[in-house]
Amino acid sequence: MGEAKPEAPRALEAMARALERLLARNERLSSEPEPEGKQRGLAAFRGARQPSISIARYLERIYRYTCCSPSCFVVGFVYVDRMVHKDPGSLVVPLNVHRIVLTSVMVASKVLDDLHYNNAFFARVGGVSNAELNRLEMELLSLLDFGVMVSSRVFESYCLHMEKELVCSGAAQKIEGAIFDSLTTEIEAPEDDKGKRFPSSPPRKSFS
């Protein structure tokens, strides 16, 4: 029998919904392509073509194979928001969102999780080369001015924001604080990570 697929936590669905709304809004805002010569900021994350995998399934794949904690997806979303504000001339679009998400969650995992995979493994999960992910990591850190720490107050506010996204999308009927409550329990019980079992290597795929 194959290894059971872990159930996707609420934070993943909330991040997917928030990004889908952001993509829809940006599609209405502008249909202009990034200038070809621009290779810094969010433009550095731009792929040659749009990946066929949805952002929701992509997040599930990252969670399934890397076993990163659900908190990484909240902090990853914080990084996305900070990068958008740092580079307002660029938009999160279908051509760059997967690479942005992959890099953000990987960096969040390094900050939050005692046990985490290296860049090469994340690259294989995300369908990019190790060299490209190394470059994207440095671009993300540059955009964040290496400010990767997130306070508890900011963390809670983003949990609430993501909860609102679920309500706006119709995936939830009311704001219950479920995301923050579940992740607070997770943060207060780090000993669970000591028994974390990593799954086998993911199938090699390219989504670019």
Side-chain angles (χ1 to χ4, degrees), residues 6-83:
E7 181 180 354
R10 192 177 178 87
L12 268 73
E13 182 181 5
M15 185 178 188
R17 300 281 182 166
L19 289 170
E20 286 166 358
R21 279 170 54 86
L22 178 62
L23 290 170
R25 185 189 68 187
N26 288 346
E27 187 176 13
R28 294 193 299 268
L29 286 176
S30 174
S31 58
E32 293 294 325
E34 291 276 4
E36 288 294 330
K38 185 178 181 183
Q39 295 299 325
R40 301 306 303 270
L42 294 184
F45 295 83
R46 189 180 183 88
R49 59 181 182 275
Q50 180 178 339
S52 58
I53 187 172
S54 70
I55 193 62
R57 286 188 59 201
Y58 194 64
L59 290 172
E60 290 174 6
R61 177 179 170 87
I62 294 172
Y63 176 70
R64 177 183 181 185
Y65 287 112
T66 68
C67 289
C68 57
S69 61
S71 297
C72 295
F73 294 88
V74 177
V75 173
F77 187 72
V78 175
Y79 294 163
V80 173
D81 197 42
R82 288 177 177 177
M83 287 192 292

Side-chain angles (χ1 to χ4, degrees), residues 3 15 23 31 77 82-83 104 107-108 149 153 166 177 196 203 206:
E3 186 172 354
M15 185 178 188
L23 290 170
S31 58
F77 187 72
R82 288 177 177 177
M83 287 192 292
S104 297
V107 172
M149 301 307 296
R153 179 183 60 81
L166 288 176
K196 181 184 290 185
S206 176

Side-chain angles (χ1 to χ4, degrees), residues 155-173:
F155 183 85
E156 183 175 4
S157 69
Y158 273 84
C159 285
L160 180 61
H161 171 72
M162 294 169 77
E163 194 86 34
K164 289 179 180 178
E165 291 290 347
L166 288 176
V167 174
C168 291
S169 68
Q173 294 183 344

